[in-house]
Amino acid sequence: MQLYLNLIAILLLSGIALLNLALELRRDLMMLQQNSYRAERYMRWLGTSADTTSWIRLFSYLAIGCLLLPAVPTVLACTLSMLPLLLNITQLATARYKKPLVWTRRAVRIYSVSGVICVAVIMLAVLFMGMSRMAATVFVALYALSHVVVLMSVKILDPVERHINKRYYNEAKNILESMPGLVVVGVTGSYGKTSTKHYLTRILTEQFNVLMTPGSYNTTMGVIRTVREMMQPYTEVFVCEMGAKNVGDIKEICDLVKPQMGIITAVGEQHLESFKSIENVQRTKFELADSLPQNGVVYVNNDFPYCASRKVDNTACIRYSVGQQENSDFWADNVSYSAEGTTFNLHCPDGKSIEFATCLVGEFNISNLIPAIAVALRLGMTVDKVKFAVSRIEQVEHRLNLKRTPAGINIIDDAFNSNPDGSRMALDVLSRMDTGCRIIVTPGMIELGEKQWDYNKQFGERIAKAADVAIIVGRYNRDAILSGLKDANMPEQDVHAVDSFTQAQELLMKIAGKGDTVLYENDLPDTFK
């Protein structure tokens, strides 16, 4: 009878362990994908997230210990081992992610190889141990080492991925070489590049057939996919967003698309965890300028010191700014904005001043508009056509996007990303809202390396001056922001710390009313807590 009960317990534990493993590998793959499939970034996330030492995993380690101890009865050991696995299955089955796993072909390959590795281990365990207590221990151990399994799969597939990527690269290269009349405009910067890309595309569409890299397809493989899947023989202008996490990333994209024109929107302290220094950020962003031909042109934002101080000698360099700066060729002044939009004057190199009106709000959006207007004028568009396009530009989702709810609450949606300069400008917009209560909902800023605490503390100090109520989401930057709010003497009753955006929304439903303005500043992905 006891042997029968032991076998049932072992079989039940094995089934639960394998189901848990399948779900856990899927989640591990999602996190790997959010880290761009880069093993070093994924391992860094494992170290900072404490995912390998969560209480459920620690419970599973304890369960493995119980299974390995002969003194613990089999039924008891199996029952104890099922508990963390069942809890994890429940969590994984009910979890909702901001950026769920996308089943790309690469993701399918990694998951398949991970499955093959696990099946091989399981078959060996059953072959040598039978359906025994030790075999069940191996099944539970696979869950405990699921991160290792995924990393092994990435390593095994590395030659395959390189071969596939090379084939895709050559296909994209051949397509581009078959279009000698194509104008390629590269857009890069620490921030503002996606908005600038959208604004430029909208303006140029008034006269040209334009293709832009969609979404955040700003890596080499993202650009390759855009060219292979979306480029048409009749495309006249290709607006190519170029992102980077490491030195050389921009040059790699430029070597492929060979831009004739470029826009560098900003050089700031973004992604310092990977770049290590602001000088490396500058060097990488200006790889775009360095790659341009002698008869090309690059537009550089003089509002950023590490842009203004960088000389460009290999191609024409046109500089721009909000407010007149030394050596600026294009510059905007008389900026006036409200909940309805913005008006401003743009001063041009020929001495003319053009008045523009747009539904966009915020100084940073004006900064992103200037090079888009300048490129359009250089490509031969008339002033009237450009003015019309600027007046019709729609706000880019989650990038200082202004809207109003049916309840009469103004929403400033700047949730896509946040950085020291962008957050300052977003708070400036919030501070100018003169009706109702001004509320900010934010988890703070990330990827700022050793300066992350200092910048988030300063962020808290600025919040105290611009907002009436602060809702700090999550724990990642909580202490730093709260420290800044305290130093700036923001009343404690106006400061709320919550663990999730769901809790923030529940709080807003209680405190926000008609005429109030809510700024959503940043929304951290699932890799941050």
Side-chain angles (χ1 to χ4, degrees):
M1 183 63 180
Q2 188 59 48
L3 289 176
Y4 181 69
L5 290 175
N6 288 347
L7 180 59
I8 291 176
I10 290 169
L11 290 173
L12 190 57
L13 172 61
S14 299
I16 292 172
L18 295 179
L19 174 60
N20 180 66
L21 176 62
L23 293 174
E24 186 62 36
L25 286 174
R26 188 177 185 275
R27 176 182 170 277
D28 292 337
L29 177 58
M30 180 184 73
M31 293 307 181
L32 177 69
Q33 190 176 74
Q34 290 188 18
N35 282 283
S36 304
Y37 297 108
R38 294 186 178 182
E40 70 281 359
R41 289 184 59 186
Y42 179 64
M43 291 174 68
R44 188 163 62 242
W45 169 75
L46 287 177
T48 57
S49 68
D51 194 69
T52 55
T53 55
S54 66
W55 70 270
I56 290 183
R57 284 195 191 264
L58 291 176
F59 197 171
S60 69
Y61 302 150
L62 180 62
I64 292 171
C66 289
L67 288 167
L68 291 174
L69 289 175
V72 181
T74 298
V75 172
L76 177 60
C78 289
T79 302
L80 289 173
S81 300
M82 291 179 203
L83 294 177
L85 302 182
L86 288 171
L87 286 170
N88 200 51
I89 288 172
T90 302
Q91 282 194 3
L92 294 174
T94 58
R96 296 294 179 266
Y97 300 105
K98 299 170 188 173
K99 191 175 181 182
L101 176 65
V102 179
W103 284 106
T104 62
R105 292 181 180 179
R106 185 173 187 180
V108 171
R109 287 194 292 270
I110 294 173
Y111 193 76
S112 298
V113 172
S114 298
V116 169
I117 292 172
C118 292
V119 169
V121 172
I122 291 167
M123 289 179 66
L124 288 172
V126 173
L127 179 64
F128 288 101
M129 305 173 190
M131 283 308 301
S132 64
R133 177 170 169 167
M134 287 302 296
T137 305
V138 172
F139 302 163
V140 178
L142 280 172
Y143 156 65
L145 298 173
S146 62
H147 303 108
V148 177
V149 174
V150 169
L151 287 170
M152 285 176 60
S153 301
V154 172
K155 187 67 175 177
I156 292 170
L157 285 168
D158 189 51
V160 176
E161 299 301 337
R162 284 202 304 267
H163 176 76
I164 293 172
N165 291 347
K166 184 177 180 180
R167 175 163 61 86
Y168 289 162
Y169 182 97
N170 289 334
E171 288 179 7
K173 182 179 179 182
N174 291 336
I175 292 171
L176 292 168
E177 288 179 348
S178 70
M179 304 176 66
L182 181 69
V183 176
V184 180
V185 184
V187 183
T188 192
S190 297
Y191 17 83
K193 55 185 176 290
T194 301
S195 295
T196 300
K197 171 190 70 176
H198 278 273
Y199 302 161
L200 175 59
T201 300
R202 173 62 186 88
I203 295 171
L204 294 180
T205 301
E206 287 294 319
Q207 184 165 319
F208 304 98
N209 189 289
V210 186
L211 171 67
M212 72 173 182
T213 48
S216 293
Y217 279 36
N218 57 18
T219 64
T220 301
M221 292 310 300
V223 173
I224 287 172
R225 184 175 178 182
T226 302
V227 173
R228 291 179 62 250
E229 298 179 5
M230 305 175 194
M231 185 70 72
Q232 301 295 331
Y234 48 79
T235 300
E236 298 173 283
V237 182
F238 179 33
V239 181
C240 181
E241 181 180 347
M242 301 178 178
K245 292 291 180 66
N246 298 285
V247 175
D249 286 354
I250 302 296
K251 183 180 184 304
E252 185 176 67
I253 299 174
C254 289
D255 288 344
L256 171 65
V257 302
K258 294 181 170 48
Q260 301 94 21
M261 307 175 75
I263 298 172
I264 301 176
T265 62
V267 171
E269 293 175 307
Q270 186 83 325
H271 304 309
L272 285 182
E273 288 186 2
S274 54
F275 280 116
K276 306 303 181 185
S277 70
I278 185 68
E279 289 77 16
N280 283 338
V281 177
Q282 181 194 56
R283 186 178 306 117
T284 304
K285 301 307 177 184
F286 274 85
E287 289 171 1
L288 172 56
D290 297 339
S291 299
L292 294 174
Q294 188 175 3
N295 63 348
V297 59
V298 63
Y299 296 83
V300 177
N301 191 347
N302 259 14
D303 285 327
F304 293 86
Y306 279 88
C307 284
S309 62
R310 174 54 153 80
K311 292 183 179 180
V312 178
D313 299 320
N314 61 294
T315 193
C317 180
I318 296 177
R319 298 181 180 272
Y320 65 94
S321 60
V322 177
Q324 190 172 15
Q325 300 274 5
E326 185 179 0
N327 299 326
S328 289
D329 301 287
F330 286 90
W331 52 280
D333 66 358
N334 293 332
V335 179
S336 176
Y337 52 87
S338 64
E340 283 70 40
T342 308
T343 58
F344 64 95
N345 290 333
L346 181 63
H347 298 266
C348 304
D350 59 7
K352 293 182 180 179
S353 176
I354 309 171
E355 184 177 350
F356 286 92
T358 176
C359 65
L360 304 173
V361 294
E363 181 181 308
F364 203 58
N365 274 324
I366 304 307
S367 180
N368 295 332
L369 268 175
I370 295 173
I373 294 170
V375 169
L377 293 174
R378 188 177 185 90
L379 289 178
M381 290 185 65
T382 65
V383 171
D384 287 343
K385 195 172 286 188
V386 174
K387 289 179 69 173
F388 174 81
V390 169
S391 71
R392 295 296 189 273
I393 287 178
E394 296 181 1
Q395 296 161 321
V396 181
E397 190 176 13
H398 306 313
R399 291 170 173 87
L400 215 59
N401 190 325
L402 183 64
K403 51 193 173 185
R404 183 168 294 168
T405 70
I409 300 172
N410 300 312
I411 303 294
I412 304 173
D413 185 353
D414 198 34
F416 176 77
N417 202 346
S418 188
N419 53 75
D421 292 294
S423 64
R424 174 178 56 80
M425 294 179 185
L427 285 171
D428 180 56
V429 174
L430 178 65
S431 69
R432 293 173 185 255
M433 297 300 170
D434 54 8
T435 62
C437 182
R438 295 165 299 184
I439 306 169
I440 183 171
V441 179
T442 182
M445 300 172 286
I446 61 171
E447 296 186 327
L448 294 171
E450 296 178 352
K451 297 185 178 181
Q452 182 149 320
W453 171 278
D454 294 334
Y455 276 128
N456 278 290
K457 184 175 185 295
Q458 293 170 19
F459 181 41
E461 293 169 354
R462 288 196 294 270
I463 288 174
K465 297 176 182 177
D468 301 308
V469 175
I471 301 176
I472 312 305
V473 182
R475 305 183 180 214
Y476 201 74
N477 295 308
R478 178 182 294 177
D479 292 342
I481 298 173
L482 292 179
S483 176
L485 291 169
K486 183 177 180 181
D487 287 353
N489 298 316
M490 190 166 192
E492 289 186 12
Q493 64 268 25
D494 297 327
V495 178
H496 306 271
V498 298
D499 289 330
S500 67
F501 273 96
T502 300
Q503 293 179 10
Q505 290 299 112
E506 292 172 352
L507 179 59
L508 278 174
M509 291 177 66
K510 298 176 182 177
I511 66 175
K514 185 176 181 179
D516 293 347
T517 300
V518 179
L519 167 63
Y520 289 96
E521 183 63 18
N522 208 6
D523 183 6
L524 297 186
D526 301 302
T527 47
F528 295 91
K529 295 182 179 179

